[in-house]
Amino acid sequence: MEKREELYSGKAKSVFKTDDADRYILVFRDDTSAFDGKKISQLDRKGAVNNQFNAFVMQKLEAAGIPTHFESLLSPCEALVKRLDMMPIECVVRNVAAGSICRRLGIEEGITLKKPTFELFLKNDDLGDPMINEYHIDAFDWADLDAVAKSRELTFAVNDVLTPWFAEHGMILVDYKLEFGVVDGKVVLGDEFTPDGCRIWDSETRAKLDKDRFRQDLGDVIESYELVGRRLGMTFEY
């Protein structure tokens, strides 16, 4: 697979075209940011850890029947993925109250929700990724509503797979965000599933093992990511 010109560079990943029009190379970098890019740093090993973590989870989801864009690892920091027409929407499931829902609703952090809660956000850093609903999506033609409904279904399906898996290994999957795209009329999970885009707590101590360690200056950010991966059965290569 020949790596060609860069198509897109985000806050922590870059996407490159290849000699196959239907395949991209996804590169995970060591760049780290929070608060819509207001806090920025470089964390050693982060790109390699997140790339391999994402590959491990995506393969777990594929085995459970959830379609993803992941195809194969190319190097510690690179993965081959399918080209998707991405929807500019973030799908969020919350199992425990944390982060923005606490600020928006005045909810105490750590309250286990009666049942998983689904939210939609517009993927727009300049606007702070505002919360939206299906009426906004339809009114502004951001995505097909049937595709959005399928994304919601798949987001809950991911929860059904990952929440008990994390629990078996002594961790609480607090919340997470997913992004979806469409290929050949099929809705497919894209982007990533890593500790950058979810909250993971230790089941006993409730210690934070995710990107909140960076947001809140708790230290040992990548060490915590590696700990999560090792608990799930991963080994990392650098």
Side-chain angles (χ1 to χ4, degrees), residues 130-175:
M131 190 174 178
I132 57 174
N133 60 38
E134 287 87 345
Y135 288 93
H136 299 124
I137 294 169
D138 191 30
F140 298 107
D141 201 25
W142 287 326
D144 177 78
L145 289 186
D146 288 340
V148 174
K150 184 63 177 180
S151 298
R152 180 174 60 249
E153 176 187 324
L154 290 173
T155 302
F156 278 118
V158 168
N159 205 44
D160 291 340
V161 174
L162 297 188
T163 297
W165 187 42
F166 276 76
E168 288 168 11
H169 295 89
M171 294 175 287
I172 301 168
L173 184 56
V174 173
D175 58 34

Side-chain angles (χ1 to χ4, degrees), residues 38-39 57 60 93 150 163 165 167 173 184 188 231:
K38 296 180 179 67
K39 182 177 183 179
V57 173
K60 174 78 172 179
V93 158
K150 184 63 177 180
T163 297
W165 187 42
L173 184 56
D184 297 328
V188 173
R231 285 190 181 185

Side-chain angles (χ1 to χ4, degrees), residues 43-56:
L43 298 176
D44 186 45
R45 307 190 309 281
K46 178 176 181 282
V49 169
N50 273 356
N51 181 44
Q52 294 170 73
F53 190 103
N54 180 63
F56 193 69

Side-chain angles (χ1 to χ4, degrees), residues 34 55-56 90 98 122 130 161 211 213 218:
F56 193 69
E90 295 178 347
L122 179 65
V161 174
K211 194 176 178 180
R213 298 199 68 83
L218 299 176

Side-chain angles (χ1 to χ4, degrees), residues 195 208-210 213 219-229:
K208 297 175 180 180
L209 304 174
D210 52 73
R213 298 199 68 83
D220 295 329
V221 178
I222 303 307
E223 291 81 1
S224 295
Y225 288 19
E226 291 168 323
L227 173 62
V228 173

Side-chain angles (χ1 to χ4, degrees), residues 2-16:
E2 180 184 337
K3 186 177 179 181
R4 294 188 173 175
E5 70 269 24
E6 184 177 80
L7 180 68
Y8 169 79
S9 182
K11 295 191 288 286
K13 299 188 298 296
S14 299
V15 180
F16 290 83

Side-chain angles (χ1 to χ4, degrees), residues 21-35:
D22 295 323
R23 302 291 184 276
Y24 289 154
I25 292 176
L26 189 61
V27 179
F28 287 74
R29 308 191 310 270
D30 288 342
D31 300 307
T32 307
S33 68
F35 311 120

